[in-house]
Amino acid sequence: GVLGDLLGADDPAAAIPAYRAALAGEPGRIPWQRALAEALERTGDTAGAMAVCHDLLARRPDDASTRRRLARLLAATGDTAAALEHAW
């Protein structure tokens, strides 16, 4: 779809507002949330990406890919203890 095309076109900055708008209408779409976190991470918005990951994990604590992304983001900020906590 169009959302996937935006991220796949290597334009994460353009994908962010599109994902946010789509999620405003359908906030439970997990794949869109994951893609938003990826786009935020790729544009250097570590805090934004971490916030999306935390929201996702509040809904799906067993989401391994989101846990790995959050662990990587936390490690990049120097929070090794928190990174290890999420890296199972």
Side-chain angles (χ1 to χ4, degrees), residues 21-61:
L23 284 164
E26 294 186 56
R29 296 290 298 259
I30 301 299
W32 294 354
Q33 289 176 306
R34 284 186 188 133
L36 175 58
E38 178 182 346
L40 289 165
E41 180 181 8
R42 289 174 59 190
T43 60
D45 185 351
T46 302
M50 287 193 301
V52 172
C53 288
H54 282 294
D55 288 346
L56 265 165
L57 291 172
R59 292 181 190 174
R60 297 183 96 175

Side-chain angles (χ1 to χ4, degrees), residues 1 3-4 6-7 9 15 20-21 25 28 32 36 41 45 54 57 59 62 64 66 69-70 72 74 82 85 88:
L3 292 176
L6 282 172
L7 198 55
R20 288 196 191 280
W32 294 354
L36 175 58
E41 180 181 8
D45 185 351
H54 282 294
L57 291 172
R59 292 181 190 174
D62 61 337
T66 300
R69 179 178 306 280
L70 182 56
R72 184 174 59 249
L74 287 163
E85 181 180 322
W88 56 267

